[in-house]
Amino acid sequence: MRDRYNVCQSIHLPAQTGSTTVLERMRRGYTREAYLDLVQKIRDIIPDVGLSSDFICGFCGETEEEHADTLTLIRAVGYDMAYMFAYSMRERTHAHRNYVDDVPDGIKQRRLTELIEAFRESTGQRYDSQIGTVQLVLVEGPNKRAPETELVGKSDRGHRVSFLNVPIKHSFEADGLQNPKIGDFVEVNILKSTRASLFGEAVSRTSLSFFYKNCASSSATAES
C-alpha cells in the first residue's frame, strides 16, 4: 500500500470502544493496547496515512470510566473520519443472549455527544495540518453549497476538498486551459480548513502517476 500510488493512503480500522473490558464483553478479540500498537505500526510504515473508525457508546454495562477510555483513545489516535453511534440491542446476538441493555438513553446520548466533540477536536488538528500542502483530489462534482462556482472531491486521506471551478492547465498534456470534470485528478494547494473540510486553489489537472512521481514528495516535505 505504501509503495502503490493507485491505492488510497487511507485505512478503516474499527475500534468500537477504547475500553479493553468492553471489548471483552463485545468479544472483539483484541485489547486497547493491541489496537494502539497496530495504529503505531501502520503510521511507522505510512506516516501520512488517513485513519477512520467506528465507535459505539453505551454498550451493556458501560461505566463512566470505560467511556472515558474511548474518549482518550480518540484523542490519542487522531482520526480523519469516524462513524459514531449510541448502542441499541439487536436480537439473536451474543449481547442479547447474555447482557442487559442497561445504560439509559439519556446517558447514551450524552456520551455520544462527548465522542463527537472529542473526534472534532482531534480531526480538526489533522485537517489544519494540511494547510500549505498540495493535495491530489479526485473530483466528485459541484459543491452543493456553491454549485455554480465550486467543485468538491476527496483527497488521498479521504478529506473533503472544495475549490473554485475555473479553467486550469494540465500537468503534462498540451490541451490548454480547461475546467476539471468529474473523475479528473486535480492538484490543489490547500489554503484553509474548516476543521471538517478543506478549501484550496486548483493548480493543474494531472494523473495519479504524475502526481506521485513529481509532486507528492515535495508536498510531504512542506507538511512536515
Side-chain angles (χ1 to χ4, degrees):
M1 180 177 175
R2 176 195 59 195
D3 301 325
R4 293 182 178 273
Y5 57 76
N6 60 334
V7 178
C8 283
Q9 305 293 289
S10 181
I11 296 176
H12 188 66
L13 200 65
Q16 305 301 342
T17 175
S19 166
T20 293
T21 51
V22 175
L23 288 168
E24 290 173 353
R25 294 201 295 277
M26 289 179 170
R27 301 203 302 180
R28 294 295 297 180
Y30 55 87
T31 64
R32 171 192 176 96
E33 291 72 25
Y35 183 90
L36 287 171
D37 285 345
L38 179 57
V39 168
Q40 188 59 54
K41 288 177 182 177
I42 291 171
R43 285 187 166 151
D44 285 344
I45 297 170
I46 314 172
D48 198 36
V49 69
L51 292 178
S52 59
S53 193
D54 300 325
F55 288 98
I56 295 172
C57 64
F59 186 74
C60 307
E62 184 185 64
T63 66
E64 290 297 334
E65 290 76 14
E66 290 169 333
H67 169 63
D69 284 342
T70 302
L71 297 177
T72 58
L73 181 79
I74 290 173
R75 295 187 179 107
V77 173
Y79 294 97
D80 295 85
M81 183 182 298
Y83 302 93
M84 294 166 281
F85 306 94
Y87 175 74
S88 59
M89 181 73 79
R90 293 184 180 180
E91 295 184 359
R92 300 179 183 178
T93 62
H94 174 75
H96 183 256
R97 292 190 296 269
N98 294 275
Y99 300 122
V100 177
D101 185 7
D102 56 356
V103 179
D105 287 342
I107 292 178
K108 288 180 182 178
Q109 291 305 314
R110 187 258 299 167
R111 290 177 182 175
L112 178 59
T113 298
E114 291 175 355
L115 289 188
I116 293 171
E117 290 175 350
F119 168 75
R120 286 177 175 170
E121 175 186 328
S122 62
T123 198
Q125 297 170 1
R126 298 279 289 171
Y127 274 80
D128 287 350
S129 72
Q130 302 297 290
I131 296 173
T133 67
V134 176
Q135 297 295 316
L136 180 68
V137 176
L138 176 62
V139 180
E140 295 182 329
N143 185 352
K144 292 181 179 179
R145 295 185 177 181
E148 301 300 322
T149 59
E150 293 182 11
L151 293 172
V152 68
K154 292 288 181 63
S155 73
D156 209 16
R157 280 185 177 179
H159 293 167
R160 184 177 183 273
V161 182
S162 58
F163 53 92
L164 291 178
N165 184 9
V166 296
I168 53 175
K169 66 180 181 179
H170 198 284
S171 295
F172 55 88
E173 293 182 358
D175 60 357
L177 299 178
Q178 295 186 24
N179 291 69
K181 304 184 299 295
I182 294 174
D184 281 351
F185 287 103
V186 177
E187 297 173 29
V188 179
N189 180 24
I190 304 301
L191 301 176
K192 62 181 180 180
S193 161
T194 67
R195 298 200 146 201
S197 64
L198 299 168
F199 182 83
E201 178 185 18
V203 177
S204 63
R205 293 169 288 123
T206 189
S207 69
L208 276 171
S209 58
F210 185 89
F211 179 82
Y212 282 104
K213 289 177 181 177
N214 297 277
C215 305
S217 59
S218 59
S219 178
T221 301
E223 184 177 353
S224 61

